[in-house]
Amino acid sequence: MYLEVCMEKLISVIDKIVRALLAILFGIVSFCVLVQIIARYTPPEVLTAPWTDEMTRLFFLYTVMLGAPWAILYHSYASIDVIAGRLKGRTRVLLDIFVDLVIIVVAVVGIPQANLYFGVGQVSKSTSLQINLGLFYVVPLVIFTLTVLCGTLDIWRNVKKLRGGNEA
């Protein structure tokens, strides 16, 4: 019981941090796009912002990197629930566990490939900012790793529902 309470508190703290980071990252993306739009209609001698394209892409990728795996915990990802929508109780929870397991398997299979992809990016630099492309290429590796973590946490929550007999 104590472990479950600690785990829920930890998830709650991490959830607040991730949500704050997502808001900040989305704000940065919005700012970069705004600067890009203003620069497009401003004479080049007044304002040029070639960096906004790469910064927008980088921070958008980081937003997805954190948000996509986190959506697993809240079942906020896109899904077709023709069958799942009709299921209730224990059967629905078992289906959710199965879906999480499939997602985890795909992520685990993707981790070695994402690591190779990251290695390729570490030896290149971006065109306008001259930053290491490893900052971009690390995204799939982190997404897959966070997906395994979030999928595991969701399975843990669902098993807890099954043991407690709660209706899903």
Side-chain angles (χ1 to χ4, degrees):
M1 183 68 176
Y2 178 72
L3 178 64
E4 289 179 14
V5 171
C6 289
M7 189 72 147
E8 284 299 330
K9 284 183 181 182
L10 178 65
I11 292 170
S12 176
V13 168
I14 292 171
D15 182 53
K16 288 176 184 171
I17 292 169
V18 168
R19 286 175 184 261
L21 282 172
L22 287 170
I24 291 167
L25 288 169
F26 189 72
I28 293 171
V29 168
S30 300
F31 174 76
C32 289
V33 169
L34 180 65
V35 170
Q36 201 171 34
I37 291 169
I38 292 169
R40 194 175 299 151
Y41 296 104
T42 307
E45 53 277 352
V46 177
L47 176 66
T48 59
W51 54 270
T52 58
D53 184 44
E54 285 183 10
M55 291 300 288
T56 301
R57 191 175 320 124
L58 179 65
F59 286 110
F60 181 73
L61 285 171
Y62 276 56
T63 303
V64 172
M65 177 179 73
L66 285 176
W70 214 247
I72 292 170
L73 287 176
Y74 298 100
H75 299 266
S76 299
Y77 45 82
S79 65
I80 299 171
D81 61 353
V82 174
I83 296 171
R86 297 175 188 206
L87 300 176
K88 302 281 185 239
R90 185 176 182 83
T91 309
R92 176 59 191 252
V93 174
L94 288 171
L95 178 65
D96 287 343
I97 290 172
F98 175 74
V99 169
D100 285 335
L101 286 171
V102 170
I103 291 170
I104 289 170
V105 167
V106 169
V108 167
V109 168
I111 287 173
Q113 295 304 313
N115 194 32
L116 290 173
Y117 183 69
F118 174 55
V120 169
Q122 288 183 308
V123 296
S124 304
K125 295 217 179 270
S126 67
T127 53
S128 66
L129 292 176
Q130 292 299 306
I131 57 175
N132 187 313
L133 283 178
L135 289 172
F136 291 89
Y137 285 57
V138 74
V139 170
L141 180 61
V142 174
I143 284 178
F144 286 143
T145 305
L146 288 176
T147 297
V148 171
L149 174 69
C150 290
T152 303
L153 287 174
D154 196 44
I155 288 173
W156 176 74
R157 284 181 170 173
N158 282 320
V159 167
K160 199 168 91 171
K161 283 181 194 175
L162 286 175
R163 285 186 179 163
N166 296 341
E167 292 296 313

